[in-house]
Amino acid sequence: MKVALFSAKSYERSFFSAANAPFGHEITYLEPRLTPETAPLAEHFPAVCIFVNDQVDADLMAQLAQGGTQLLALRSAGFNHVDLNAAEDLGLTVVRVPAYSPFAVAEHAVALILTLNRKTHRAYARVREGNFDLEGLLGFDIHGLTMGVVGTGKIGIEVARIMHGFGCQLLGYDPYPNPEAEKLGLHYVELDTLLAQSDIISLHSPLTPETYHLINADAINRLKPGAMLINTSRGALVDAAAAIEGLKSGQIGYLGLDVYEEEADLFFEDLSDRIIQDDIFARLLTFPNVVITGHQAFFTRNALRAIAETTLANIRDFEQTGQCANAIKSAHVTKS
Ligand code: NAI
């Protein structure tokens, strides 16, 4: 099938080209993000393949449909960046990669926890400068602490498993409890209880209208003072302006982010010569107890291989049958 692959990075091309051998799709790699301005590049391609910061609203969906797009293949698990209702109305099929490597994201969440705690990022810089002073590097034992996991699906359960291995007590909040988590000894509680009792909280629920700004000023006030908050899910789960206030008051003791609500204009590009215009993001960067990575939690070779293989298989299934097991359904029920 002819595929226009937007937001194509060199690191992805090699995985897609290698995985495409048995499929034989005609892939055109396009470096720009998919926007109303770049959408004409997709004309006459029946399949368009996008990543997390290619935002497809109703107007852009209509533009794609008019250009002949039949299939929108997401190279991601999350689909909050796509207007599914518009896709359904226009007869476009949207497919995704529901699971590629939950371990990649879970392990990155734990990397943020360990970095924030033991300050390895600061220690690394100091030692390279010949500064072996330990002042400011004091950490704590994770063993015995209470870990709160919000969203105990594929990724959340792996975080719970790792933190169980560290010797943490596990609390969870999820409208659909996972029996595997309960087997680990995780206790499901209301969100307020999780917020109040956890020393470390990690977010792994999808972005939906219900989870938008789940961590807002009110939730931050309910935290155990000095708690650690980790978000590797979607940026808009956290109200970043409220998080700044929480950091200033000390209510948030540590903040680890791999995602940011306004990341679309920042992440995945080298902006090191530019002035960052987003003052909230810039303020977050100033805190010594904040570590931000640029949406790289998924970024392992295992995950990239699985993303390429599943995406290409999704496209083949659609081409051969007009259907795909990884199609996102129930568009008119919920936009998530
Ligand atoms: P999943 O669908 O397996 O698990 C999500 C869990 O969240 C489910 O158990 C669901 O019941 C729960 N949930 C739904 N609504 C909730 C609510 N209101 N409050 C609490 N929990 C709720 O998804 P998976 O694979 O674990 O991924 C989770 C999220 O991680 C994705 O939605 C995506 O946004 C994000 N993600 C981030 C990546 C990164 O590179 N930073 C890579 C892959 C996924």
Side-chain angles (χ1 to χ4, degrees):
M1 200 169 194
K2 280 182 70 181
V3 184
L5 191 147
F6 281 85
S7 298
K9 297 288 183 189
S10 57
Y11 46 77
E12 277 183 302
R13 286 184 193 205
S14 54
F15 285 95
F16 266 84
S17 296
N20 193 34
F23 295 101
H25 297 301
E26 280 178 61
I27 305 175
T28 298
Y29 297 100
L30 300 163
E31 278 180 32
R33 273 169 47 199
L34 175 61
T35 63
E37 291 72 37
T38 62
L41 295 169
E43 273 177 29
H44 311 305
F45 283 89
V48 167
C49 186
I50 62 168
F51 198 46
V52 289
N53 287 332
D54 298 307
Q55 315 257 358
V56 186
D57 62 12
D59 288 343
L60 187 44
M61 196 72 76
Q63 220 179 325
L64 290 177
Q66 213 165 17
T69 303
Q70 301 159 25
L71 177 70
L72 195 57
L74 315 186
R75 308 199 289 285
S76 59
F79 48 89
N80 52 283
H81 51 302
V82 172
D83 190 326
L84 296 175
N85 296 343
E88 189 172 286
D89 292 343
L90 291 158
L92 260 85
T93 300
V94 182
V95 295
R96 66 176 180 135
V97 184
Y100 39 92
S101 171
F103 310 109
V105 184
E107 289 168 12
H108 191 78
V110 176
L112 290 174
I113 293 171
L114 294 177
T115 303
L116 282 162
N117 174 18
R118 305 306 296 268
K119 302 162 183 68
T120 40
H121 57 310
R122 301 181 71 192
Y124 171 80
R126 271 190 205 185
V127 169
R128 283 174 70 93
E129 292 289 318
N131 176 357
F132 305 102
D133 189 0
L134 298 184
E135 197 66 50
L137 301 184
L138 190 66
F140 51 81
D141 287 7
I142 290 176
H143 183 93
L145 294 185
T146 299
M147 174 79 203
V149 182
V150 177
T152 53
K154 290 181 285 296
I155 295 169
I157 182 76
E158 297 309 330
V159 170
R161 266 193 245 281
I162 298 170
M163 299 312 286
H164 179 66
F166 273 107
C168 288
Q169 313 296 319
L170 299 174
L171 296 180
Y173 170 70
D174 194 313
Y176 303 97
N178 181 345
E180 287 299 310
E182 286 174 309
K183 278 190 210 156
L184 286 174
L186 178 144
H187 292 291
Y188 281 101
V189 291
E190 289 304 314
L191 182 62
D192 282 355
T193 309
L194 183 147
L195 296 175
Q197 295 187 1
S198 301
D199 300 290
I200 306 171
I201 295 168
S202 197
L203 306 178
H204 301 288
S205 52
L207 175 59
T208 65
E210 292 75 40
T211 61
Y212 175 79
H213 284 189
L214 187 76
I215 304 299
N216 56 17
D218 184 47
I220 290 166
N221 283 333
R222 291 167 201 269
L223 293 176
K224 198 184 241 195
M228 181 186 290
L229 177 67
I230 304 292
N231 186 11
T232 59
S233 187
R234 285 292 179 266
L237 262 57
V238 175
D239 177 346
I244 288 172
E245 293 310 312
L247 286 158
K248 284 162 75 177
S249 71
Q251 189 64 7
I252 297 177
Y254 309 81
L255 180 65
L257 302 177
D258 185 53
V259 286
Y260 173 65
E261 185 168 0
E262 303 299 333
E263 70 177 51
D265 292 331
L266 295 167
F267 288 1
F268 306 126
E269 303 300 331
D270 179 359
L271 304 181
S272 50
D273 283 338
R274 311 244 190 104
I275 307 297
I276 290 182
Q277 299 296 325
D278 183 329
D279 290 348
I280 292 179
F281 188 78
R283 179 68 175 105
L284 282 172
L285 292 177
T286 67
F287 292 95
N289 51 350
V290 174
V291 171
I292 303 179
T293 52
H295 208 136
Q296 71 170 81
F298 73 100
F299 199 52
T300 66
R301 56 176 177 252
N302 317 63
L304 287 191
R305 198 176 299 126
I307 289 170
E309 287 170 358
T310 304
T311 301
L312 296 170
N314 285 345
I315 296 169
R316 177 209 48 208
D317 292 350
F318 177 80
E319 185 179 25
Q320 291 181 350
T321 67
Q323 291 178 341
C324 176
N326 291 329
I328 312 171
K329 300 185 183 81
S330 66
H332 278 285
V333 176
T334 169
K335 178 181 183 294
S336 73

PDB file of all heavy atoms in Angstrom, residues 293-322:
ATOM      1  N   THR A 293      12.391  14.752  30.383  1.00  0.00           N
ATOM      2  CA  THR A 293      12.906  14.144  29.157  1.00  0.00           C
ATOM      3  C   THR A 293      11.866  14.392  28.064  1.00  0.00           C
ATOM      4  O   THR A 293      10.690  14.609  28.354  1.00  0.00           O
ATOM      5  CB  THR A 293      13.174  12.634  29.342  1.00  0.00           C
ATOM      6  OG1 THR A 293      11.987  12.012  29.873  1.00  0.00           O
ATOM      7  CG2 THR A 293      14.333  12.387  30.283  1.00  0.00           C
ATOM      8  N   GLY A 294      12.314  14.386  26.823  1.00  0.00           N
ATOM      9  CA  GLY A 294      11.455  14.815  25.705  1.00  0.00           C
ATOM     10  C   GLY A 294      10.699  13.683  25.038  1.00  0.00           C
ATOM     11  O   GLY A 294      10.942  13.369  23.880  1.00  0.00           O
ATOM     12  N   HIS A 295       9.763  13.098  25.774  1.00  0.00           N
ATOM     13  CA  HIS A 295       8.916  12.006  25.255  1.00  0.00           C
ATOM     14  C   HIS A 295       9.784  10.883  24.668  1.00  0.00           C
ATOM     15  O   HIS A 295       9.651  10.528  23.498  1.00  0.00           O
ATOM     16  CB  HIS A 295       7.933  12.539  24.199  1.00  0.00           C
ATOM     17  CG  HIS A 295       6.676  11.712  24.130  1.00  0.00           C
ATOM     18  ND1 HIS A 295       5.424  12.249  24.048  1.00  0.00           N
ATOM     19  CD2 HIS A 295       6.488  10.363  24.134  1.00  0.00           C
ATOM     20  CE1 HIS A 295       4.519  11.292  23.999  1.00  0.00           C
ATOM     21  NE2 HIS A 295       5.143  10.127  24.051  1.00  0.00           N
ATOM     22  N   GLN A 296      10.646  10.362  25.516  1.00  0.00           N
ATOM     23  CA  GLN A 296      11.548   9.304  25.057  1.00  0.00           C
ATOM     24  C   GLN A 296      11.310   7.979  25.765  1.00  0.00           C
ATOM     25  O   GLN A 296      12.063   7.018  25.569  1.00  0.00           O
ATOM     26  CB  GLN A 296      13.012   9.731  25.244  1.00  0.00           C
ATOM     27  CG  GLN A 296      13.471   9.781  26.712  1.00  0.00           C
ATOM     28  CD  GLN A 296      14.961   9.957  26.853  1.00  0.00           C
ATOM     29  OE1 GLN A 296      15.477  11.064  26.756  1.00  0.00           O
ATOM     30  NE2 GLN A 296      15.687   8.878  27.113  1.00  0.00           N
ATOM     31  N   ALA A 297      10.243   7.932  26.585  1.00  0.00           N
ATOM     32  CA  ALA A 297      10.039   6.703  27.375  1.00  0.00           C
ATOM     33  C   ALA A 297       9.879   5.482  26.480  1.00  0.00           C
ATOM     34  O   ALA A 297      10.310   4.384  26.819  1.00  0.00           O
ATOM     35  CB  ALA A 297       8.832   6.857  28.294  1.00  0.00           C
ATOM     36  N   PHE A 298       9.284   5.675  25.308  1.00  0.00           N
ATOM     37  CA  PHE A 298       9.048   4.538  24.395  1.00  0.00           C
ATOM     38  C   PHE A 298      10.321   4.129  23.661  1.00  0.00           C
ATOM     39  O   PHE A 298      10.340   3.098  22.992  1.00  0.00           O
ATOM     40  CB  PHE A 298       8.009   4.938  23.332  1.00  0.00           C
ATOM     41  CG  PHE A 298       8.566   5.887  22.300  1.00  0.00           C
ATOM     42  CD1 PHE A 298       8.977   5.420  21.059  1.00  0.00           C
ATOM     43  CD2 PHE A 298       8.734   7.228  22.585  1.00  0.00           C
ATOM     44  CE1 PHE A 298       9.528   6.280  20.117  1.00  0.00           C
ATOM     45  CE2 PHE A 298       9.286   8.102  21.651  1.00  0.00           C
ATOM     46  CZ  PHE A 298       9.684   7.621  20.421  1.00  0.00           C
ATOM     47  N   PHE A 299      11.375   4.934  23.783  1.00  0.00           N
ATOM     48  CA  PHE A 299      12.463   4.905  22.806  1.00  0.00           C
ATOM     49  C   PHE A 299      13.501   3.823  23.102  1.00  0.00           C
ATOM     50  O   PHE A 299      14.627   4.106  23.528  1.00  0.00           O
ATOM     51  CB  PHE A 299      13.105   6.294  22.775  1.00  0.00           C
ATOM     52  CG  PHE A 299      13.910   6.586  21.551  1.00  0.00           C
ATOM     53  CD1 PHE A 299      13.385   6.417  20.295  1.00  0.00           C
ATOM     54  CD2 PHE A 299      15.214   7.045  21.660  1.00  0.00           C
ATOM     55  CE1 PHE A 299      14.126   6.695  19.166  1.00  0.00           C
ATOM     56  CE2 PHE A 299      15.967   7.336  20.539  1.00  0.00           C
ATOM     57  CZ  PHE A 299      15.424   7.150  19.289  1.00  0.00           C
ATOM     58  N   THR A 300      13.119   2.574  22.881  1.00  0.00           N
ATOM     59  CA  THR A 300      14.088   1.474  22.933  1.00  0.00           C
ATOM     60  C   THR A 300      14.042   0.775  21.578  1.00  0.00           C
ATOM     61  O   THR A 300      13.046   0.854  20.855  1.00  0.00           O
ATOM     62  CB  THR A 300      13.753   0.439  24.027  1.00  0.00           C
ATOM     63  OG1 THR A 300      12.527  -0.219  23.701  1.00  0.00           O
ATOM     64  CG2 THR A 300      13.634   1.087  25.402  1.00  0.00           C
ATOM     65  N   ARG A 301      15.087   0.054  21.260  1.00  0.00           N
ATOM     66  CA  ARG A 301      15.088  -0.618  19.957  1.00  0.00           C
ATOM     67  C   ARG A 301      13.993  -1.676  19.892  1.00  0.00           C
ATOM     68  O   ARG A 301      13.404  -1.900  18.847  1.00  0.00           O
ATOM     69  CB  ARG A 301      16.460  -1.186  19.622  1.00  0.00           C
ATOM     70  CG  ARG A 301      17.025  -2.128  20.639  1.00  0.00           C
ATOM     71  CD  ARG A 301      18.355  -2.707  20.144  1.00  0.00           C
ATOM     72  NE  ARG A 301      18.953  -3.554  21.146  1.00  0.00           N
ATOM     73  CZ  ARG A 301      20.035  -3.228  21.857  1.00  0.00           C
ATOM     74  NH1 ARG A 301      20.642  -2.085  21.653  1.00  0.00           N
ATOM     75  NH2 ARG A 301      20.521  -4.046  22.764  1.00  0.00           N
ATOM     76  N   ASN A 302      13.699  -2.280  21.070  1.00  0.00           N
ATOM     77  CA  ASN A 302      12.632  -3.286  21.099  1.00  0.00           C
ATOM     78  C   ASN A 302      11.305  -2.642  20.718  1.00  0.00           C
ATOM     79  O   ASN A 302      10.522  -3.184  19.934  1.00  0.00           O
ATOM     80  CB  ASN A 302      12.493  -3.872  22.503  1.00  0.00           C
ATOM     81  CG  ASN A 302      13.835  -4.171  23.136  1.00  0.00           C
ATOM     82  OD1 ASN A 302      14.629  -3.262  23.369  1.00  0.00           O
ATOM     83  ND2 ASN A 302      14.107  -5.437  23.370  1.00  0.00           N
ATOM     84  N   ALA A 303      11.052  -1.460  21.289  1.00  0.00           N
ATOM     85  CA  ALA A 303       9.786  -0.781  21.026  1.00  0.00           C
ATOM     86  C   ALA A 303       9.708  -0.314  19.575  1.00  0.00           C
ATOM     87  O   ALA A 303       8.675  -0.483  18.916  1.00  0.00           O
ATOM     88  CB  ALA A 303       9.621   0.405  21.982  1.00  0.00           C
ATOM     89  N   LEU A 304      10.812   0.255  19.058  1.00  0.00           N
ATOM     90  CA  LEU A 304      10.773   0.759  17.675  1.00  0.00           C
ATOM     91  C   LEU A 304      10.537  -0.381  16.684  1.00  0.00           C
ATOM     92  O   LEU A 304       9.803  -0.231  15.710  1.00  0.00           O
ATOM     93  CB  LEU A 304      12.069   1.492  17.330  1.00  0.00           C
ATOM     94  CG  LEU A 304      12.249   2.864  17.971  1.00  0.00           C
ATOM     95  CD1 LEU A 304      13.427   3.596  17.340  1.00  0.00           C
ATOM     96  CD2 LEU A 304      11.016   3.729  17.852  1.00  0.00           C
ATOM     97  N   ARG A 305      11.160  -1.535  16.954  1.00  0.00           N
ATOM     98  CA  ARG A 305      10.954  -2.694  16.077  1.00  0.00           C
ATOM     99  C   ARG A 305       9.490  -3.120  16.126  1.00  0.00           C
ATOM    100  O   ARG A 305       8.846  -3.339  15.094  1.00  0.00           O
ATOM    101  CB  ARG A 305      11.862  -3.841  16.530  1.00  0.00           C
ATOM    102  CG  ARG A 305      12.067  -4.925  15.488  1.00  0.00           C
ATOM    103  CD  ARG A 305      13.052  -5.974  15.962  1.00  0.00           C
ATOM    104  NE  ARG A 305      14.375  -5.444  16.241  1.00  0.00           N
ATOM    105  CZ  ARG A 305      15.042  -5.594  17.385  1.00  0.00           C
ATOM    106  NH1 ARG A 305      14.534  -6.269  18.377  1.00  0.00           N
ATOM    107  NH2 ARG A 305      16.245  -5.063  17.544  1.00  0.00           N
ATOM    108  N   ALA A 306       8.935  -3.180  17.321  1.00  0.00           N
ATOM    109  CA  ALA A 306       7.542  -3.631  17.475  1.00  0.00           C
ATOM    110  C   ALA A 306       6.565  -2.612  16.867  1.00  0.00           C
ATOM    111  O   ALA A 306       5.566  -3.006  16.240  1.00  0.00           O
ATOM    112  CB  ALA A 306       7.232  -3.851  18.955  1.00  0.00           C
ATOM    113  N   ILE A 307       6.866  -1.324  17.022  1.00  0.00           N
ATOM    114  CA  ILE A 307       5.992  -0.291  16.443  1.00  0.00           C
ATOM    115  C   ILE A 307       5.968  -0.446  14.917  1.00  0.00           C
ATOM    116  O   ILE A 307       4.912  -0.412  14.285  1.00  0.00           O
ATOM    117  CB  ILE A 307       6.469   1.130  16.835  1.00  0.00           C
ATOM    118  CG1 ILE A 307       6.200   1.389  18.309  1.00  0.00           C
ATOM    119  CG2 ILE A 307       5.790   2.194  15.968  1.00  0.00           C
ATOM    120  CD1 ILE A 307       6.845   2.664  18.847  1.00  0.00           C
ATOM    121  N   ALA A 308       7.154  -0.623  14.325  1.00  0.00           N
ATOM    122  CA  ALA A 308       7.229  -0.747  12.865  1.00  0.00           C
ATOM    123  C   ALA A 308       6.475  -1.988  12.400  1.00  0.00           C
ATOM    124  O   ALA A 308       5.657  -1.929  11.472  1.00  0.00           O
ATOM    125  CB  ALA A 308       8.691  -0.799  12.426  1.00  0.00           C
ATOM    126  N   GLU A 309       6.720  -3.110  13.060  1.00  0.00           N
ATOM    127  CA  GLU A 309       6.090  -4.370  12.613  1.00  0.00           C
ATOM    128  C   GLU A 309       4.575  -4.302  12.745  1.00  0.00           C
ATOM    129  O   GLU A 309       3.844  -4.688  11.825  1.00  0.00           O
ATOM    130  CB  GLU A 309       6.652  -5.549  13.416  1.00  0.00           C
ATOM    131  CG  GLU A 309       8.079  -5.887  13.005  1.00  0.00           C
ATOM    132  CD  GLU A 309       8.770  -6.887  13.931  1.00  0.00           C
ATOM    133  OE1 GLU A 309       8.145  -7.304  14.932  1.00  0.00           O
ATOM    134  OE2 GLU A 309       9.924  -7.220  13.647  1.00  0.00           O
ATOM    135  N   THR A 310       4.090  -3.801  13.864  1.00  0.00           N
ATOM    136  CA  THR A 310       2.632  -3.766  14.066  1.00  0.00           C
ATOM    137  C   THR A 310       1.986  -2.772  13.109  1.00  0.00           C
ATOM    138  O   THR A 310       0.919  -3.040  12.542  1.00  0.00           O
ATOM    139  CB  THR A 310       2.300  -3.401  15.531  1.00  0.00           C
ATOM    140  OG1 THR A 310       2.949  -4.331  16.371  1.00  0.00           O
ATOM    141  CG2 THR A 310       0.799  -3.437  15.796  1.00  0.00           C
ATOM    142  N   THR A 311       2.623  -1.620  12.915  1.00  0.00           N
ATOM    143  CA  THR A 311       2.050  -0.607  12.019  1.00  0.00           C
ATOM    144  C   THR A 311       1.943  -1.151  10.594  1.00  0.00           C
ATOM    145  O   THR A 311       0.906  -1.010   9.930  1.00  0.00           O
ATOM    146  CB  THR A 311       2.923   0.667  12.032  1.00  0.00           C
ATOM    147  OG1 THR A 311       2.980   1.163  13.361  1.00  0.00           O
ATOM    148  CG2 THR A 311       2.350   1.740  11.119  1.00  0.00           C
ATOM    149  N   LEU A 312       3.007  -1.801  10.135  1.00  0.00           N
ATOM    150  CA  LEU A 312       3.002  -2.327   8.763  1.00  0.00           C
ATOM    151  C   LEU A 312       1.995  -3.473   8.619  1.00  0.00           C
ATOM    152  O   LEU A 312       1.326  -3.601   7.582  1.00  0.00           O
ATOM    153  CB  LEU A 312       4.417  -2.770   8.374  1.00  0.00           C
ATOM    154  CG  LEU A 312       5.431  -1.602   8.331  1.00  0.00           C
ATOM    155  CD1 LEU A 312       6.848  -2.123   8.192  1.00  0.00           C
ATOM    156  CD2 LEU A 312       5.094  -0.625   7.210  1.00  0.00           C
ATOM    157  N   ALA A 313       1.846  -4.267   9.671  1.00  0.00           N
ATOM    158  CA  ALA A 313       0.842  -5.344   9.638  1.00  0.00           C
ATOM    159  C   ALA A 313      -0.568  -4.753   9.662  1.00  0.00           C
ATOM    160  O   ALA A 313      -1.473  -5.255   8.973  1.00  0.00           O
ATOM    161  CB  ALA A 313       1.052  -6.292  10.817  1.00  0.00           C
ATOM    162  N   ASN A 314      -0.750  -3.684  10.433  1.00  0.00           N
ATOM    163  CA  ASN A 314      -2.063  -3.008  10.457  1.00  0.00           C
ATOM    164  C   ASN A 314      -2.439  -2.553   9.047  1.00  0.00           C
ATOM    165  O   ASN A 314      -3.587  -2.719   8.605  1.00  0.00           O
ATOM    166  CB  ASN A 314      -2.017  -1.772  11.363  1.00  0.00           C
ATOM    167  CG  ASN A 314      -2.020  -2.115  12.844  1.00  0.00           C
ATOM    168  OD1 ASN A 314      -2.334  -3.244  13.222  1.00  0.00           O
ATOM    169  ND2 ASN A 314      -1.677  -1.142  13.672  1.00  0.00           N
ATOM    170  N   ILE A 315      -1.459  -1.965   8.354  1.00  0.00           N
ATOM    171  CA  ILE A 315      -1.718  -1.438   7.004  1.00  0.00           C
ATOM    172  C   ILE A 315      -2.031  -2.602   6.049  1.00  0.00           C
ATOM    173  O   ILE A 315      -2.960  -2.527   5.241  1.00  0.00           O
ATOM    174  CB  ILE A 315      -0.511  -0.594   6.519  1.00  0.00           C
ATOM    175  CG1 ILE A 315      -0.335   0.639   7.422  1.00  0.00           C
ATOM    176  CG2 ILE A 315      -0.685  -0.176   5.059  1.00  0.00           C
ATOM    177  CD1 ILE A 315       0.956   1.413   7.215  1.00  0.00           C
ATOM    178  N   ARG A 316      -1.271  -3.694   6.169  1.00  0.00           N
ATOM    179  CA  ARG A 316      -1.533  -4.870   5.324  1.00  0.00           C
ATOM    180  C   ARG A 316      -2.945  -5.412   5.579  1.00  0.00           C
ATOM    181  O   ARG A 316      -3.698  -5.692   4.636  1.00  0.00           O
ATOM    182  CB  ARG A 316      -0.509  -5.981   5.619  1.00  0.00           C
ATOM    183  CG  ARG A 316      -0.770  -7.253   4.820  1.00  0.00           C
ATOM    184  CD  ARG A 316      -0.300  -8.506   5.540  1.00  0.00           C
ATOM    185  NE  ARG A 316      -0.739  -8.554   6.919  1.00  0.00           N
ATOM    186  CZ  ARG A 316      -0.074  -9.187   7.891  1.00  0.00           C
ATOM    187  NH1 ARG A 316       1.039  -9.821   7.626  1.00  0.00           N
ATOM    188  NH2 ARG A 316      -0.537  -9.202   9.125  1.00  0.00           N
ATOM    189  N   ASP A 317      -3.324  -5.524   6.853  1.00  0.00           N
ATOM    190  CA  ASP A 317      -4.653  -6.072   7.173  1.00  0.00           C
ATOM    191  C   ASP A 317      -5.745  -5.211   6.548  1.00  0.00           C
ATOM    192  O   ASP A 317      -6.703  -5.721   5.979  1.00  0.00           O
ATOM    193  CB  ASP A 317      -4.855  -6.144   8.690  1.00  0.00           C
ATOM    194  CG  ASP A 317      -3.943  -7.182   9.320  1.00  0.00           C
ATOM    195  OD1 ASP A 317      -3.316  -7.955   8.565  1.00  0.00           O
ATOM    196  OD2 ASP A 317      -3.848  -7.205  10.564  1.00  0.00           O
ATOM    197  N   PHE A 318      -5.568  -3.898   6.676  1.00  0.00           N
ATOM    198  CA  PHE A 318      -6.570  -2.987   6.110  1.00  0.00           C
ATOM    199  C   PHE A 318      -6.607  -3.127   4.592  1.00  0.00           C
ATOM    200  O   PHE A 318      -7.682  -3.172   3.986  1.00  0.00           O
ATOM    201  CB  PHE A 318      -6.259  -1.547   6.513  1.00  0.00           C
ATOM    202  CG  PHE A 318      -7.216  -0.555   5.908  1.00  0.00           C
ATOM    203  CD1 PHE A 318      -8.471  -0.350   6.466  1.00  0.00           C
ATOM    204  CD2 PHE A 318      -6.876   0.167   4.760  1.00  0.00           C
ATOM    205  CE1 PHE A 318      -9.362   0.542   5.908  1.00  0.00           C
ATOM    206  CE2 PHE A 318      -7.761   1.063   4.194  1.00  0.00           C
ATOM    207  CZ  PHE A 318      -9.014   1.255   4.769  1.00  0.00           C
ATOM    208  N   GLU A 319      -5.428  -3.214   3.982  1.00  0.00           N
ATOM    209  CA  GLU A 319      -5.355  -3.312   2.519  1.00  0.00           C
ATOM    210  C   GLU A 319      -6.041  -4.602   2.033  1.00  0.00           C
ATOM    211  O   GLU A 319      -6.768  -4.599   1.042  1.00  0.00           O
ATOM    212  CB  GLU A 319      -3.885  -3.314   2.074  1.00  0.00           C
ATOM    213  CG  GLU A 319      -3.706  -3.299   0.562  1.00  0.00           C
ATOM    214  CD  GLU A 319      -2.224  -3.275   0.163  1.00  0.00           C
ATOM    215  OE1 GLU A 319      -1.371  -3.729   0.952  1.00  0.00           O
ATOM    216  OE2 GLU A 319      -1.939  -2.802  -0.942  1.00  0.00           O
ATOM    217  N   GLN A 320      -5.810  -5.688   2.772  1.00  0.00           N
ATOM    218  CA  GLN A 320      -6.321  -6.988   2.303  1.00  0.00           C
ATOM    219  C   GLN A 320      -7.783  -7.214   2.640  1.00  0.00           C
ATOM    220  O   GLN A 320      -8.496  -7.895   1.905  1.00  0.00           O
ATOM    221  CB  GLN A 320      -5.469  -8.123   2.902  1.00  0.00           C
ATOM    222  CG  GLN A 320      -4.052  -8.143   2.334  1.00  0.00           C
ATOM    223  CD  GLN A 320      -3.209  -9.282   2.890  1.00  0.00           C
ATOM    224  OE1 GLN A 320      -3.612  -9.965   3.836  1.00  0.00           O
ATOM    225  NE2 GLN A 320      -2.042  -9.481   2.311  1.00  0.00           N
ATOM    226  N   THR A 321      -8.244  -6.689   3.770  1.00  0.00           N
ATOM    227  CA  THR A 321      -9.601  -7.032   4.234  1.00  0.00           C
ATOM    228  C   THR A 321     -10.500  -5.815   4.458  1.00  0.00           C
ATOM    229  O   THR A 321     -11.688  -5.973   4.719  1.00  0.00           O
ATOM    230  CB  THR A 321      -9.533  -7.801   5.571  1.00  0.00           C
ATOM    231  OG1 THR A 321      -9.035  -6.901   6.573  1.00  0.00           O
ATOM    232  CG2 THR A 321      -8.623  -9.010   5.478  1.00  0.00           C
ATOM    233  N   GLY A 322      -9.895  -4.632   4.429  1.00  0.00           N
ATOM    234  CA  GLY A 322     -10.678  -3.432   4.750  1.00  0.00           C
ATOM    235  C   GLY A 322     -10.914  -3.287   6.246  1.00  0.00           C
ATOM    236  O   GLY A 322     -11.607  -2.374   6.696  1.00  0.00           O
TER     237      GLY A 322
END
